Amino acid sequence: MKNTEKQILELSKKILNNSGFGYDDENQIKCTELNEDSFFGHSKEESQNIWQISFLWGEEEFGKSRGAFLYIDDDKKLPLLLVHSLGQSKIKYSLSNDGKTIVSSTNVKFTIEE
């Protein structure tokens, strides 16, 4: 993995806050390293380093917390999938006019790092 757990936790908080999805308690956010062979569309010959972020959300909306997962590509530092009790959202991206800003389908903006 290129990134540390601390870096991914900070990135996760930004992603969740910027997407409007949010989380209940930042102290409950947990990171797990995954090495997936085909779960995210890669062939078995091509592995992908992924972080699985688990967190609680929804206490304010539903009166109790619910579990959710965010998957982040370690190499690109971009979210791939958000799974929660209401369903799941595969996150897609487009490049903005400046050629450096990536905008996700969840309205999260990232700048391409050189």
Side-chain angles (χ1 to χ4, degrees), residues 59-77:
E59 183 173 10
E60 190 173 296
E61 293 86 2
F62 304 110
K64 65 179 181 175
S65 294
R66 298 172 180 219
F69 297 99
L70 175 66
Y71 295 90
I72 298 176
D73 181 307
D74 182 65
D75 295 323
K76 297 176 184 172
K77 292 176 70 173

Side-chain angles (χ1 to χ4, degrees), residues 3-20:
N3 299 286
T4 66
E5 183 174 333
K6 183 178 178 181
Q7 290 171 311
I8 294 299
L9 283 172
E10 289 305 312
L11 177 62
S12 300
K13 291 174 195 174
K14 280 185 194 175
I15 291 167
L16 293 169
N17 287 329
N18 290 344
S19 69

Side-chain angles (χ1 to χ4, degrees), residues 1-3 8 32-38 40 42 46-52 71-78 80:
M1 296 287 208
K2 291 181 178 180
N3 299 286
I8 294 299
T32 304
E33 294 179 28
L34 303 177
N35 186 289
E36 294 294 330
D37 293 333
S38 60
F40 290 98
H42 287 251
E46 178 186 8
S47 65
Q48 186 176 20
N49 293 319
I50 296 170
W51 291 92
Q52 176 184 337
Y71 295 90
I72 298 176
D73 181 307
D74 182 65
D75 295 323
K76 297 176 184 172
K77 292 176 70 173
L78 294 174
L80 300 167

